[in-house]
Amino acid sequence: MIHSRNRRLRVNESIRSLVRENVLTTDDFVMPIFVMEGENMQEPIPSMPGIFRRSIDLTVKECKELFSLGVKAVNLYMKVSENLKDNTGKEAWNKNGLMQNTIKAIKDAVPGMVVMPDVALDPYSIYGHDGIIENGKILNDATNEALAKMSVSHAEAGADLVAPSDMMDGRVQVIREALEESGFTDVGIVSYAAKYASSFYGPFRSALDSAPKADVEIPKDKKTYQMDFHNSREALNEVFKDIDEGADVIMIKPGLPYLDIVSKVREAIDLPIAVYNVSGEYAMVKAAVQNGWLDNDKTIIENLTCFKRAGADMIFTYFAKEAAMILNK
């Protein structure tokens, strides 16, 4: 005779909800946003259906709508004009730059919105790399100094946290020290501690034109600074170093193909963990939905809940707005 039956706790939705281990809410989401120059401008990103590049005024409008839906955090990326790009990235810390003006506009219009600007040089680089290049090599320490200037300028504009996504060695410490010295002791760092050199970033790079340039003598990929996707133990090494250097939140990127890394890191640390549901993951779901192979709403919620189950505290996802609408039904 069977006395133990697991199905007793699956009889109906009310019972299932009572014993549910993980629950997805709008508080879990960070919405990545692409910003462009101009006014009343909106451009679709073909490889990411439903996602747009917007001018600052329409970005502010979008942030108001997101906040009303319960999405309380945004992650900002700039589509930089070609004439502003160089090998130093100096436009990245222009006090009147597109990023800085976007941060100010959002914080003025939606003070409660948590603003997390991306900290990386690739949108500002003529080469499309996350670092300064010399003799065909990406310079680590010189890049860190540039990232520190960038982070301080974001803090001056009103950013709540800065999000260095470059994967240079030691950059968290350099950024933390620069923020402290500039009086921004309350500005946090979301460190992309385990960011892999992944094929899943394609749609994102096309959105910002931030892929390494093919027609110059430079590394054709980002494998000399982003992690090798064959490795997992290395991720813990990266995470522990960033924690020692002053990171407040640990990011793992990409998301779905790296849930083993999320789980492994969750078992090892107590700091909040962020995970990035990247552009390629978004594009695959949307393509399958458009072809009638997947149910849009059910797949989105299952997809995002997997990150919570693996141990993430916050989810950077292009599904944030759509997921909030589904959860609010």
Side-chain angles (χ1 to χ4, degrees), residues 6-21:
N6 291 341
R7 290 181 58 188
R8 293 187 189 115
L9 299 182
R10 302 174 193 153
V11 168
N12 57 51
E13 175 58 23
S14 295
I15 292 175
R16 291 193 296 271
S17 65
L18 280 173
V19 298
R20 191 160 287 152
E21 298 173 27

Side-chain angles (χ1 to χ4, degrees), residues 143-161:
T143 297
N144 284 347
E145 294 303 320
L147 298 174
K149 293 177 185 177
M150 189 177 181
S151 298
V152 170
S153 78
H154 292 174
E156 290 172 343
D160 299 283
L161 302 99

Side-chain angles (χ1 to χ4, degrees), residues 69-94:
L69 290 168
V71 179
K72 304 183 183 73
V74 292
N75 177 219
L76 302 180
Y77 299 89
M78 302 297 112
K79 178 69 170 67
V80 181
S81 300
E82 288 298 320
N83 65 309
L84 296 176
K85 297 182 180 183
D86 63 12
N87 188 35
T88 70
K90 64 181 182 297
E91 178 62 20
W93 55 89
N94 178 359

Side-chain angles (χ1 to χ4, degrees), residues 226-284:
Q226 295 177 2
M227 283 182 58
D228 183 344
F229 66 80
H230 299 86
N231 297 348
S232 64
R233 294 191 303 272
E234 182 186 8
L236 289 176
N237 184 13
E238 292 279 2
V239 166
F240 292 142
K241 285 182 177 178
D242 283 7
I243 292 173
D244 289 343
E245 291 175 17
D248 299 285
V249 178
I250 292 299
M251 169 72 82
I252 295 153
K253 183 180 181 179
L256 284 178
Y258 295 82
L259 291 182
D260 60 318
I261 307 301
V262 178
S263 181
K264 188 185 292 283
V265 173
R266 176 74 291 161
E267 292 175 1
I269 71 169
D270 295 322
L271 281 185
I273 293 175
V275 64
Y276 209 126
N277 182 208
V278 301
S279 60
E281 298 168 46
Y282 176 89
M284 288 192 301

Side-chain angles (χ1 to χ4, degrees), residues 15-35:
I15 292 175
R16 291 193 296 271
S17 65
L18 280 173
V19 298
R20 191 160 287 152
E21 298 173 27
N22 297 283
V23 178
L24 192 69
T25 78
T26 58
D27 291 335
D28 299 318
F29 303 147
V30 180
M31 179 70 181
I33 288 182
F34 299 113
V35 185

